[in-house]
Amino acid sequence: MLTLGTNSLSPFLCKAITDPDNSHSHSHDAVYIRRAAQLADKSAGFTSPHPNFGCVIATPNNVVGEGYLYAQGTKPAEIQAVEAAADSCRGATAYLNMEPGDCHGDHTAVSALVQAGITRVVVGIRNPLQHLRGNAIRALRSQGLQVDVLGEDLQSKIMEEARKSCLLVNAPLIHRASSRVPFSVLKYAMTLDGKIAATSGHSAWITSKTSRKHVFDLRGRSDAVIVGGNTVRKDNPRLTARHGGGHMPMRIVMSQTLNLPEEANLWDVTEVSTIVVTQRGARRSFQKHLASKGVEVVEFDILNPRDVMEYFHDRGYLSTFWECGGTLAASAISSGVIHKVYAFVAPKIIGGKHAPSPVGELGMVEMTQALDLIDVSYEQVGPDMLISGFLQPIPDLSPVIPSKDETFAIDPTVTPYESIIIFFYKTWDPYGAFSNFSPHPIQMPDSNGMYTTWSSVEHYYQAHKYIGVDDPAARDCVERIRCAKSPEEAARMGRSFQRRHPDIVRSDWDSLKIDIMYKALKCKFSIYPHLNSMLLSTAGSILVEASPHDLFWGGGREGEGLNYLGRLLMKLRSEFLGESSASSENTCATV
């Protein structure tokens, strides 16, 4: 007979052993958590990669509400699910694939669940971002809700499988948080005898149309598609997602010498941008040629995949998709930046002693040195076979005790943010509320004094490039931006229209855009008290918008940017602090 001492096991584990209905309960929990993970993935390919959140609200008998985060700066999944469930929330259980992330100081997700009457919350994984991890779980428990975290409070084989689905759907975020490089996928198509082209270099097409369509979908899940110079020279690719709208990943070309053609499909940036990364000093005249076409060139002292990926990590990328040849693929694998592989194998044989293979020299001489894939899956796609798997395991998310937040709770003099320079960029970063993409609607007056609601500061800013222009296309663009489902979509519309029709942008835009942004920011930080408090809490600190590529609004890669967004926020902070000081003086005078 097994005797359990009072200190031998946690109360949760004891309960799991003694509960006769535990298996049945776990089965229901696992089904709903997997459903939340499926929902979280629904916007993939239609918006830029972002933390994926899904929420399912269920009673003992059925699902009563669902929601998922469509894009950064849009309504949280938990609020959508609560609104869908309405009164059925009372006493129900909420299933979240990942702990909510609150970068805006308003705790909207937590408040929605608490106020709706949810009594239990099941969380698939803790938020992997250090500044968010554990915050929502503690907040929910402090409000009296039962919170069960898979792998901690709920442990069983079926729960481990459900937890795995939560890890997979946010693998890019987890890798980014742990390794400081974007989650990177290597994709290639080869014949049955392992060739990616004939000896002549001809490669169109190895796989079927069905497989190629699948590749378009995979591209759309990434921030960027990466190729080498050889691919540009031989294939002249477009590297578009071709899904008829939505997110278009950036195109990145890695070329050490810039031995590239004067004309190429990738130099057409009408619909989607291209970045060429190269060795410092390479072909200055060709760099000017690319710049004249609107192609961005980024130089590195030594061009290698690790440094390039660290740069794009700082640029905010979560996921990249490598479609390069064997030489660059081998370099990326050797650098440790490839996390997952998609290999499309066609039932064809091409032969050829010198026909290229998917991966070049890795320096391995024995089969025991071969790299084994993890969590391998096989899928038939038309006549082809897709083999996929991880080269690196998804990093462990076990809680680190004590965390920064827990240390701060013990000793308030220890703060996670001691630096006098505060960087902000993505909405999920610390101080993400400072971003013009944050999900805070504003009401602004138009030229007739009537107030219009804009879903974010970015919506308002992009639309004002065209407001007042006497042109039907400009008016149509303004309306489409106003109705855009996310700040990202509004920015994409405004920038794309500006590239295609620069003559329709209002003539005074360059002189007005700073004032337009300031008015929108002032409205945002005036009408949301928690945002105002967050801004004032940074008194004495320098605020820097950390975009490494936007040299006007951001700080740039090495501090060379003008940082106008940070400047405007500091100006606004001074204005608010001045009003607060004046108010205090008036109060003292009255007394």
Side-chain angles (χ1 to χ4, degrees), residues 26 32 71 97 113 197 200 262 272 274 286 288 316 319 345 349 368 374 393 421 431 446 453 487 493 528 556 588:
H26 277 202
Y32 293 139
N97 67 294
L113 297 174
S200 65
E262 295 280 327
V272 57
T274 298
F286 189 70
K288 291 180 181 178
S319 182
V345 183
I349 294 176
T368 53
I374 305 166
I421 300 178
Y431 298 96
D446 59 20
T453 299
M493 289 178 183
Y528 294 98
C588 291

Side-chain angles (χ1 to χ4, degrees), residues 321-344:
F321 194 69
W322 296 65
E323 294 193 70
C324 52
T327 302
L328 183 53
S331 178
I333 291 173
S334 298
S335 298
V337 300
I338 299 297
H339 303 100
K340 191 173 185 179
V341 175
Y342 283 94
F344 289 83

Side-chain angles (χ1 to χ4, degrees), residues 567-581:
R567 292 187 192 189
L568 292 184
L569 288 171
M570 289 186 284
K571 176 183 175 183
L572 190 59
R573 181 180 66 192
S574 296
E575 187 176 325
F576 286 154
L577 286 171
E579 290 174 358
S580 175
S581 176

Side-chain angles (χ1 to χ4, degrees), residues 130-132 404-405 414-420 422 430-431 541:
Q130 189 63 51
H131 61 284
L132 298 175
K404 289 182 181 179
D405 292 321
V414 179
T415 170
Y417 312 113
E418 293 180 339
S419 174
I420 61 169
I422 293 176
Y431 298 96
S541 298

Side-chain angles (χ1 to χ4, degrees), residues 176-192:
R176 174 182 163 84
S178 65
S179 61
R180 291 197 57 78
V181 295
F183 179 72
S184 293
V185 173
L186 171 64
K187 169 255 133 185
Y188 54 82
M190 69 179 187
T191 59
L192 201 56

Side-chain angles (χ1 to χ4, degrees), residues 18-82:
T18 57
D19 185 356
D21 296 324
N22 181 62
S23 177
H24 178 72
S25 173
H26 277 202
S27 177
H28 275 78
D29 287 344
V31 168
Y32 293 139
I33 280 290
R34 283 198 297 268
R35 173 59 182 164
Q38 290 172 354
L39 287 169
D41 198 42
K42 284 193 72 172
S43 67
F46 295 97
T47 63
S48 294
H50 57 271
N52 291 318
F53 293 98
C55 177
V56 173
I57 296 177
T59 62
N61 299 318
N62 63 306
V63 173
V64 294
E66 294 183 337
Y68 66 94
L69 184 69
Y70 176 72
Q72 65 164 327
T74 58
K75 186 180 293 186
E78 297 81 4
I79 294 181
Q80 295 178 49
V82 163

Side-chain angles (χ1 to χ4, degrees), residues 51 53 97-103 123 125-137 173-174 177 397 428:
F53 293 98
N97 67 294
M98 185 167 71
E99 175 187 14
D102 165 40
C103 292
V123 178
I125 59 173
R126 289 174 178 262
N127 199 304
L129 300 179
Q130 189 63 51
H131 61 284
L132 298 175
R133 194 167 188 183
N135 294 352
I137 291 173
L173 182 68
I174 296 169
L397 279 174
W428 57 80

Side-chain angles (χ1 to χ4, degrees), residues 260-434:
L260 300 170
E262 295 280 327
E263 299 299 326
N265 288 324
L266 293 180
W267 309 159
D268 179 0
V269 295
T270 306
E271 294 298 330
V272 57
S273 299
T274 298
I275 301 173
V276 174
V277 294
T278 188
Q279 196 96 353
R280 193 173 303 281
R283 293 189 67 190
R284 293 291 191 190
S285 59
F286 189 70
Q287 288 192 35
K288 291 180 181 178
H289 171 70
L290 291 176
S292 70
K293 291 178 172 293
V295 175
E296 181 182 352
V297 179
V298 179
E299 294 182 298
F300 290 81
D301 291 332
I302 299 176
L303 187 67
N304 63 76
R306 169 64 61 173
D307 288 349
V308 170
M309 286 298 93
E310 288 180 356
Y311 167 76
F312 283 106
H313 167 278
D314 293 341
R315 197 153 170 161
Y317 287 13
L318 280 178
S319 182
T320 59
F321 194 69
W322 296 65
E323 294 193 70
C324 52
T327 302
L328 183 53
S331 178
I333 291 173
S334 298
S335 298
V337 300
I338 299 297
H339 303 100
K340 191 173 185 179
V341 175
Y342 283 94
F344 289 83
V345 183
K348 300 176 181 178
I349 294 176
I350 188 68
K353 182 179 179 180
H354 300 293
S357 63
V359 181
E361 181 59 55
L362 290 173
M364 298 178 183
V365 296
E366 295 181 359
M367 195 54 67
T368 53
Q369 296 176 290
L371 302 174
D372 293 322
L373 296 186
I374 305 166
D375 289 331
V376 180
S377 64
Y378 306 87
E379 177 187 353
Q380 185 161 351
V381 183
D384 309 315
M385 180 63 70
L386 170 58
I387 304 172
S388 62
F390 289 84
L391 272 177
Q392 302 179 32
I394 298 176
D396 183 27
L397 279 174
S398 300
V400 177
I401 304 297
S403 69
K404 289 182 181 179
D405 292 321
E406 287 161 331
T407 303
F408 178 68
I410 297 168
D411 183 1
T413 63
V414 179
T415 170
Y417 312 113
E418 293 180 339
S419 174
I420 61 169
I421 300 178
I422 293 176
F423 295 96
F424 63 95
Y425 186 22
K426 293 291 187 178
T427 61
W428 57 80
D429 289 338
Y431 298 96
F434 293 173

